[in-house]
Amino acid sequence: GAALVATTGLAGAQEVRGLRAGDFMVGFGAVGVLPTNGGSVGVIGGRPEATNSASPLLDFTYFVTPNFSANLIAATTRHDIRVRNSALGDVSLGHVWALPPTLTVQYHPMPASRFSPYVGLGLNATWFYGHGGSRAGAVNRVRVQPSVGVAPSIGFNYEISPNWVANLDLKWVLMQPDVSVNSGTIRARADINPFVLGATLRYRF
């Protein structure tokens, strides 16, 4: 009986492959971008805001050592944007698409465990495109400039099988783009600073 328990325990331990140097994972899932919103608007005052959004997510992770990995996420989300509580009231600026690739270095303190948490620090660069949608009558042109900022993160991997890993990741992206309305007649800084929550199923090669 004791031998059977010991053998079963050993087999259970061997079922966990763990994270290893050279592991390369490709993940597919979903991401939610939740702006915290803030900033300032010239001339008319008020506060710029962007709405929450979600989209499919593709990510890539490479383990340099069992404890350190590099992760890159790729997704694009559409946000309605507006100025709240300005001298003109609430002003709709239409919508814009954000493309925010983020490269993160992650530290995994428990690489041999099935449940493996990590902390990370990344660099985000966001490009805004596809400006359009319904705008306030006096607004004829809106441009949101690219933004670069750091992105601390926490998350975990859960090993389902040697080749399949589930991941949950939370980033806080420092994103503070400049905004130009009507070719610079009104300028603003949008402190979007979103929380970015991603969930993926990863395949390990």
Side-chain angles (χ1 to χ4, degrees), residues 91-94 135-142 181-182 186:
V91 180
S92 173
L93 301 180
R135 300 169 179 164
V139 177
N140 57 45
R141 179 180 170 84
V142 177
V181 179
N182 291 359
I186 298 173

Side-chain angles (χ1 to χ4, degrees), residues 50 53 77-81 93-98 127-133 142-144 192:
S53 186
T77 52
R78 197 188 90 161
H79 303 265
D80 292 330
I81 53 177
L93 301 180
H95 66 246
V96 67
W97 287 82
W127 288 268
F128 298 91
Y129 68 99
H131 302 76
V142 177
R143 288 294 179 268
V144 184
I192 301 173

Side-chain angles (χ1 to χ4, degrees), residues 14 20 39 42 47 49 75 81 86 114 142 161 199:
Q14 291 175 337
R20 302 177 185 176
R47 187 180 77 164
E49 286 189 357
I81 53 177
S86 78
R114 187 180 299 277
V142 177
S161 72

Side-chain angles (χ1 to χ4, degrees), residues 54-189:
S55 82
L57 170 68
L58 186 65
D59 78 348
F60 306 91
T61 306
Y62 179 76
F63 282 80
V64 181
T65 74
N67 294 102
F68 286 96
S69 65
N71 171 264
L72 177 67
I73 64 169
T76 187
T77 52
R78 197 188 90 161
H79 303 265
D80 292 330
I81 53 177
R82 62 192 173 192
V83 176
R84 295 292 299 270
N85 301 319
S86 78
L88 304 177
D90 293 348
V91 180
S92 173
L93 301 180
H95 66 246
V96 67
W97 287 82
L99 179 65
T102 306
L103 180 63
T104 304
V105 175
Q106 300 168 334
Y107 172 67
H108 306 259
M110 301 163 53
S113 299
R114 187 180 299 277
F115 174 81
S116 180
Y118 60 81
V119 295
L121 184 63
L123 181 65
N124 166 267
T126 300
W127 288 268
F128 298 91
Y129 68 99
H131 302 76
S134 177
R135 300 169 179 164
V139 177
N140 57 45
R141 179 180 170 84
V142 177
R143 288 294 179 268
V144 184
Q145 302 302 316
S147 170
V148 176
V150 298
S153 67
I154 58 173
F156 68 84
N157 290 304
Y158 183 83
E159 183 178 310
I160 301 169
S161 72
N163 291 105
W164 291 99
V165 175
N167 173 264
L168 188 67
D169 182 271
L170 177 64
K171 292 180 174 64
W172 182 44
V173 180
L174 298 183
M175 186 186 298
Q176 300 173 346
D178 292 327
V179 182
S180 170
V181 179
N182 291 359
S183 300
T185 302
I186 298 173
R187 296 185 179 277
R189 192 185 80 170

